[in-house]
Amino acid sequence: MSLLKRASAIEEEMIAIRRKIHENPELAFKEFQTTALLEKELKSYGIETRRNGDQTGLTGVLKGAKPGKVIGVRGDIDALPVPEDTGLPFSSKVEGVSHACGHDINCTTVLACARLLSELKDELSGTVKFIFQPAEETLSGAASMIKNGVMEDPKMDAIICVHTWPEMPGGSIGVRRGAMFAASDRFKITIRGQGGHAAHPHRSIDPVVVAGYLITQLQTIVSREVAPLDSAVVTVGKMTAGTASNIIPNEAVLEGTVRTLNKETRKRVHESLVRIATHTAEGLSATAQVEYVTGVPPLVNDDFLNDLVSAATVELLGEDNLLEVPVASMGSEDFAEYMEFIPGAAIRIGTYDERPESKGALHNSKTVFSEKAIMAGAVMLTGTVFKFTGSDFSKLL
Ligand code: NI
């Protein structure tokens, strides 16, 4: 039987599972029911399962009949603190929580791939790890899975993932060469001056004025130090200072985020931020102490994997369903954490259809998703696994 026939035979069942997950959304590290449901399904396909330590999330391990390479396929499972307002009959039953980012679709797509590959086990060379990751929205789930041993036993040679995308039609696959998501780092600058009476500034060192200079000077990092065709963001999102209009405070604090698309720029922006903060403060007789917290790394897709995904998509779903994601996102994706160890590729699955609300933004309470994405994504993943492990691809046609 062709892979497309197998896929259409299980589509209805997979959509029912997606709707069940959609109705019962769970926030980061609270995905207890979702984990249990996925575990039960994987077991029913004869796939070995492993829990993510004592945290939510799990991994399914499927060994093919023949030896070969090991590939990971990751879907995230957490929901958002967004009340659902879609009017769908299977809307969230949980007050204030919904799958507004489509992680119900992502994990069902990986589950459908697991089901298809379990049926094709005799044709499979190598091993597949199905990684159902919690807490993507808080950018902390990948780290928890790595800490709990997901990279080991067996070690993976590569990893791929899917994510819904409302800017592409349901049934299409979106790939991108190179940078896909940005690194996300945080900073906190504590400026110390000397407090005093607002009417006698010459007897004080005003940290509020230093903060004012800094907010604008930090923007010169992007405009003057990052190459015009590279991308970076420096945003001061929070400023705290003072208690009253007639008092110069001792201290002012700036907090913000830095986004970059490659490791060199990431390092450069970090160094520049520290340099500008400390020397600007010094020039104005104050001091600035910078706390810089590095978060998720930049996500740069592997060319070889990207080509495999493209080839599998064209051969199984047709050329029309392969689309190029035109630009990287300055948002972040903690899938990049796994890619610190092994090559990877993040793939978009298109989710718009004839409903106007399906073209809405991710994280919006009204956005709906085309369920065509599930089997299209599962077919693409299955084909990519076959290509990567060197299994006989003709068995899928
Ligand atoms: Ni998401």
Side-chain angles (χ1 to χ4, degrees), residues 11 14 54 60 85 107 139 148 271 313 328:
E11 183 168 21
M14 287 298 150
D54 60 0
D85 190 17
C107 67
L139 299 179
N148 290 320
E271 287 167 0
T313 302

Side-chain angles (χ1 to χ4, degrees), residues 76 101 103 136-137 163:
D76 41 18
C101 198
H103 295 189
E136 191 280 327
E137 294 295 352
H163 202 295

Side-chain angles (χ1 to χ4, degrees), residues 132-147:
F132 294 95
Q133 184 208 297
E136 191 280 327
E137 294 295 352
T138 56
L139 299 179
S140 45
S144 92
M145 297 217 65
I146 293 166
K147 189 181 102 230

Side-chain angles (χ1 to χ4, degrees), residues 66-148:
K66 289 160 244 171
K69 287 199 270 188
V70 185
I71 183 165
V73 182
R74 177 270 218 172
D76 41 18
I77 66 173
D78 55 321
L80 283 164
V82 172
E84 180 161 352
D85 190 17
T86 62
L88 289 170
F90 53 89
S91 285
S92 168
K93 288 178 182 165
V94 185
E95 182 88 26
V97 181
S98 71
H99 271 295
C101 198
H103 295 189
D104 54 331
I105 300 257
N106 300 346
C107 67
T108 308
T109 302
V110 174
L111 185 72
C113 169
R115 168 102 181 250
L116 292 170
L117 283 167
S118 71
E119 291 176 8
L120 291 158
K121 197 175 157 182
D122 292 341
E123 311 297 341
L124 179 68
S125 307
T127 299
V128 189
K129 289 170 101 166
F130 304 100
I131 300 166
F132 294 95
Q133 184 208 297
E136 191 280 327
E137 294 295 352
T138 56
L139 299 179
S140 45
S144 92
M145 297 217 65
I146 293 166
K147 189 181 102 230
N148 290 320

